[in-house]
Amino acid sequence: MSDAPGRSGDKQVPLHEMADLIVAVGRRLPPPTDPEFEPCTPLEISVMRFVHRHPGTSAGAASEAVRLPSSNFSRVLRGLEKRDLVERVVNERNARGVLLYPTEKARRNLRLLHEHWDRTLHGIIDDPGTVQVVSEALRRIEDALTAGKP
């Protein structure tokens, strides 16, 4: 049994250690090298993740969910739109509002990214049960943080 922090059988692993590891792993995941892949900044990725999961969302809801001030969000959104990664559609119920949708290029980009990450992570943890438990825990954390629980 190891005495390393968070690795002992009886000791509670601090939540900050998990958060630290999430950040570290995310920074170490290399982007795809496929020439069809459109690279995105971390902020753009945050916006795209939300739009992919909530197609037809409002700009305000997306801005709030990714915790970007509206001016910064607008700048990111304009850049994504220029690169054909997000489509703005006028809201039929409220002509002043827009709804956001991922484009076909954005869906292809996400598919390339997921395929790349599957190849990159293959063989590190091959137990499907472990992958499911970790994924479910991270999804609950993301949902709670997106909902503004902390």
Side-chain angles (χ1 to χ4, degrees):
M1 195 176 294
S2 168
D3 286 333
R7 302 207 195 283
S8 176
D10 299 80
K11 295 182 183 173
Q12 176 77 23
V13 177
L15 291 172
H16 71 265
E17 183 174 333
M18 181 176 57
D20 181 63
L21 289 167
I22 291 167
V23 171
V25 168
R27 292 188 58 82
R28 292 194 179 272
L29 285 172
T33 56
D34 187 310
E36 285 188 46
F37 181 75
E38 178 79 37
C40 294
T41 68
L43 283 177
E44 290 171 332
I45 290 169
S46 293
V47 172
M48 290 306 307
R49 284 185 76 247
F50 190 80
V51 171
H52 274 284
R53 285 176 168 76
H54 305 91
T57 188
S58 70
S63 174
E64 186 177 314
V66 298
R67 296 187 175 175
L68 275 178
S70 60
S71 59
N72 292 16
F73 181 81
S74 294
R75 188 175 64 248
V76 170
L77 189 58
R78 279 191 305 275
L80 291 169
E81 193 173 25
K82 282 181 188 174
R83 291 171 25 226
D84 191 33
L85 292 171
V86 71
E87 179 181 15
R88 293 187 213 209
V89 175
V90 175
N91 185 344
E92 292 178 8
R93 293 185 200 167
N94 175 3
R96 291 183 357 194
V98 295
L99 305 177
L100 307 177
Y101 293 91
T103 62
E104 184 55 41
K105 181 179 178 181
R107 287 187 284 278
R108 183 176 60 247
N109 220 41
L110 184 62
R111 181 183 47 78
L112 290 170
L113 183 63
H114 287 173
E115 290 170 355
H116 175 72
W117 284 348
D118 283 340
R119 286 189 304 275
T120 299
L121 298 173
H122 181 76
I124 296 173
I125 299 177
D126 287 331
D127 174 40
T130 299
V131 173
Q132 182 174 347
V133 167
V134 171
S135 294
E136 287 172 0
L138 292 173
R139 192 169 295 110
R140 279 196 326 268
I141 291 168
E142 180 184 24
D143 289 348
L145 293 174
T146 300
K149 293 215 172 154

